[in-house]
Amino acid sequence: MTQKDMAQKGMRKNDTAVVKITDIGVNGEGIGKVDGYTLFIKDAVIGDTVEAKVMKAKKNYGYARLMEVIAPSPDRVKPQCPFARKCGGCQIQEMSYERQLAFKAQKVRGNLERIGGFSAELLDQVMEPALGMDAPFGYRNKAQFPFGTDKEGNPVTGFYAGRTHHIIPNTDCALGVPVNREILEIILNFMKKNKIPSYDEKTGKGLIRHVLIRYGFATREIMVCLVVNGTEISEAGELLSELSKIPGMTSITLSSNMLRTNVIMGDSFDVLWGSGYITDYIGGIKYRISPLSFYQVNPVQTENLYSLALEYADLKGHETVWDLYCGIGTISLFLAQKARKVYGVEIIPQAIDDARENARINGIENVEFFVGKAEEVLPGWYQQYAVSGGDSAGNEARADVVIVDPPRKGCDEALLGTIVEMAPERVVYVSCDPATLARDLKYLCGQGYVLERVRAVDMFPETVHVETVVLMSKVKE
Ligand code: SAH
């Protein structure tokens, strides 16, 4: 039988096979071939030889379950968390951190080659090794724990198993800070003692839905926000007295969410104890964070990411800079220290309220924020000032540096078109999705820009998420 005949034979559900893992899929799963038939095997690490059982079979490929590791890969490590396989939070905890970083750099490179059409020679020159963490655990400053009820009727909290809403009880996530556990145990004990039920998604009954915990890495301030299916927690005094004893506790709030949705937070919150926010610093800039504010979850790598963006922007102090998709203005404020003027654009009005407030509490005056779609605000601005030639306040159509940090879907072409017309010397692209990044870079590099530097920054160790920072410069005419 030829190789081709065997491939056509395929595999069926419940077939088992011994597979050598030769590649990694986009979700961190191991990929191996059995007589030309491709198997995707969750929890298998590149380099492993495993026994796998087919769970779902298509014509040319299938999804299989890891039954046994027959010969472990040199890159396989013991996971730090006992729930690493079941939990949906981490996908690649069983891969050595070095290998994770190589995987992420390769993922970016692969997209730039395939979708961006960039040559291997160019990528060899411009790609820098992924920027990782010294300690890739305990990095998250924010955790949202769902509450449920176990078979015995006790309240439980933990994390959802991959692609489900089934809670795996665990108060000690390895990516979070140690104080999470203490806080959750206090809340669970309080619920048991006072017979306060967890919310049940199926019936819409019960009270405690989620608990949001935020921790300021620089200030050590702690925030707890209880999200409830109601408007109050009876006997809350007892709970507040316990929680407020925790060193660093700064804010305890309650957010009422009585809607039957997957949205975690309610629209507003009430302060139960302390203040309604905590403060934290990134790169010397102070931020006020409420339960509803967006704030980067990995403060250590965020500072590294912004420093890299700043290095790529190469500001001397006289520049006009646009920060598109600016969120609460973190990149804008970081760059404003080195620029003449920074303009930030963001679609969510509350985020811009926070951005303005953050500028105010830091005494930063050379920033201006706009609410709106980047693909509408920037073209509108450009048209206005291209015609008038600028005004006495120093507003002008041109820019020296443009930074974009879009959501997964990337930038709208109307925005990219305006960037090209504004002709900044440098464009810095911060991306959370290498595929749309590659698409947008291809556009810009077809319109007078060249790729200078590309670096993956590991904002989310142990997961498959990749963040990338790219520098492009305008081709000299
Ligand atoms: N640069 C920020 C946040 C980037 S996340 C930081 O580093 O913290 C992407 C942001 O883009 C989100 O805040 C989202 O609300 C915003 N956004 C999404 N679509 C947008 C659009 N079309 N125009 C402007 N902002 C948009």
Side-chain angles (χ1 to χ4, degrees):
M1 214 166 20
T2 64
Q3 189 80 8
K4 196 159 164 246
D5 292 337
M6 283 196 286
Q8 275 163 355
K9 206 170 117 220
M11 289 187 82
R12 289 203 209 111
K13 188 170 173 174
N14 293 330
D15 281 357
T16 59
V18 171
V19 197
K20 172 93 180 167
I21 305 300
T22 52
D23 204 354
I24 306 172
V26 286
N27 296 314
E29 69 278 32
I31 302 176
K33 288 197 179 202
V34 180
D35 297 334
Y37 185 87
T38 304
L39 286 177
F40 293 89
I41 309 167
K42 184 177 158 325
D43 305 315
V45 172
I46 191 164
D48 278 345
T49 300
V50 302
E51 186 180 347
K53 182 172 176 181
V54 178
M55 307 310 290
K56 199 168 162 188
K58 304 267 186 185
K59 189 158 173 271
N60 299 315
Y61 65 92
Y63 299 93
R65 173 180 295 166
L66 173 61
M67 305 303 283
E68 197 190 333
V69 178
I70 294 171
S73 160
D75 296 315
R76 174 175 277 285
V77 295
K78 188 171 178 297
Q80 188 145 328
C81 169
F83 306 104
R85 276 196 194 178
K86 279 195 201 156
C87 176
C90 293
Q91 299 88 35
I92 50 176
Q93 229 192 80
E94 291 180 276
M95 194 186 285
S96 74
Y97 190 52
E98 229 168 77
R99 195 70 187 73
Q100 291 184 26
L101 292 177
F103 158 64
K104 294 186 183 190
Q106 185 51 42
K107 187 164 160 179
V108 172
R109 190 186 165 108
N111 277 284
L112 293 181
E113 267 182 39
R114 275 196 319 277
I115 302 171
F118 296 102
S119 72
E121 294 74 38
L122 175 68
L123 294 173
D124 282 344
Q125 281 169 28
V126 299
M127 281 214 62
E128 299 166 37
L131 177 55
M133 296 191 80
D134 294 336
F137 286 96
Y139 60 79
R140 285 187 65 100
N141 60 10
K142 172 186 171 183
Q144 300 180 113
F145 291 85
F147 276 65
T149 308
D150 69 11
K151 289 201 188 82
E152 283 75 45
N154 293 312
V156 288
T157 185
F159 286 93
Y160 291 133
R163 282 174 261 122
T164 74
H165 270 197
H166 173 70
I167 294 174
I168 298 163
N170 175 18
T171 53
D172 199 17
C173 167
L175 302 189
V177 289
V179 76
N180 288 344
R181 180 178 203 161
E182 194 182 339
I183 292 167
L184 295 170
E185 298 294 344
I186 289 173
I187 296 170
L188 287 171
N189 286 334
F190 167 79
M191 289 169 70
K192 272 186 221 157
K193 189 166 158 227
N194 293 283
K195 305 213 163 20
I196 294 176
S198 298
Y199 176 70
D200 180 343
E201 282 181 325
K202 291 200 188 79
T203 62
K205 296 208 168 67
L207 188 66
I208 311 289
R209 292 176 77 126
H210 272 87
V211 170
L212 162 73
I213 304 173
R214 281 179 143 164
Y215 177 75
F217 272 59
T219 57
R220 302 189 179 182
E221 292 179 2
I222 302 167
M223 167 195 291
V224 175
C225 179
L226 301 140
V227 186
V228 299
N229 176 39
T231 51
E232 58 174 10
I233 301 176
S234 53
E235 313 292 335
E238 193 186 321
L239 176 63
L240 298 179
S241 123
E242 286 286 308
L243 288 176
S244 59
K245 280 186 211 141
I246 297 175
M249 188 58 66
T250 303
S251 162
I252 307 176
T253 53
L254 181 130
S255 181
S256 168
N257 179 359
M258 296 199 268
L259 300 175
R260 294 188 70 171
T261 71
N262 279 342
V263 176
I264 296 177
M265 302 295 295
D267 294 336
S268 61
F269 63 90
D270 295 317
V271 178
L272 299 181
W273 183 89
S275 102
Y277 58 84
I278 59 169
T279 46
D280 197 24
Y281 289 82
I282 295 178
I285 307 239
K286 185 174 180 177
Y287 294 96
R288 193 169 283 182
I289 309 151
S290 91
L292 298 174
S293 316
F294 172 85
Y295 188 63
Q296 292 278 359
V297 300
N298 181 338
V300 172
Q301 286 298 78
T302 297
E303 186 161 348
N304 289 334
L305 177 84
Y306 293 171
S307 301
L308 191 62
L310 182 63
E311 185 187 324
Y312 284 7
D314 192 22
L315 301 176
K316 304 279 187 276
H318 58 80
E319 292 87 353
T320 300
V321 179
W322 282 82
D323 175 19
L324 304 163
Y325 310 89
C326 71
I328 58 165
T330 24
I331 296 179
S332 318
L333 298 178
F334 202 74
L335 299 186
Q337 306 171 95
K338 300 272 163 57
R340 179 190 71 85
K341 178 84 188 233
V342 180
Y343 300 94
V345 185
E346 159 64 43
I347 200 167
I348 297 178
Q350 293 87 333
I352 289 293
D353 291 343
D354 283 349
R356 290 183 179 138
E357 175 69 5
N358 289 329
R360 194 188 63 75
I361 61 175
N362 287 284
I364 297 176
E365 290 177 346
N366 58 334
V367 290
E368 197 172 328
F369 293 105
F370 302 99
V371 178
K373 291 185 179 172
E375 62 272 26
E376 289 174 6
V377 173
L378 196 71
W381 174 277
Y382 177 71
Q383 269 150 28
Q384 181 185 341
Y385 287 102
V387 174
S388 72
D391 63 17
S392 57
N395 294 318
E396 52 187 1
R398 55 171 290 285
D400 298 290
V401 176
V402 172
I403 302 209
V404 296
D405 183 5
R408 299 194 75 101
K409 69 173 192 232
C411 297
D412 193 284
E413 222 175 271
L415 173 66
L416 296 176
T418 301
I419 293 175
V420 169
E421 285 186 71
M422 288 174 84
E425 280 304 316
R426 290 178 291 287
V427 177
V428 179
Y429 197 130
V430 181
S431 158
C432 56
D433 184 337
T436 56
L437 170 71
R439 178 200 68 200
D440 293 349
L441 295 186
K442 183 177 183 182
Y443 178 93
L444 290 170
C445 291
Q447 304 276 338
Y449 282 84
V450 280
L451 214 50
E452 296 275 1
R453 297 174 72 178
V454 178
R455 186 159 197 190
V457 178
D458 194 18
M459 297 284 274
F460 308 103
E462 318 305 327
T463 79
V464 289
H465 301 291
V466 189
E467 198 90 5
T468 315
V469 189
V470 174
L471 170 65
M472 276 161 292
S473 68
K474 192 155 64 85
V475 181
K476 306 263 179 314
E477 277 153 17

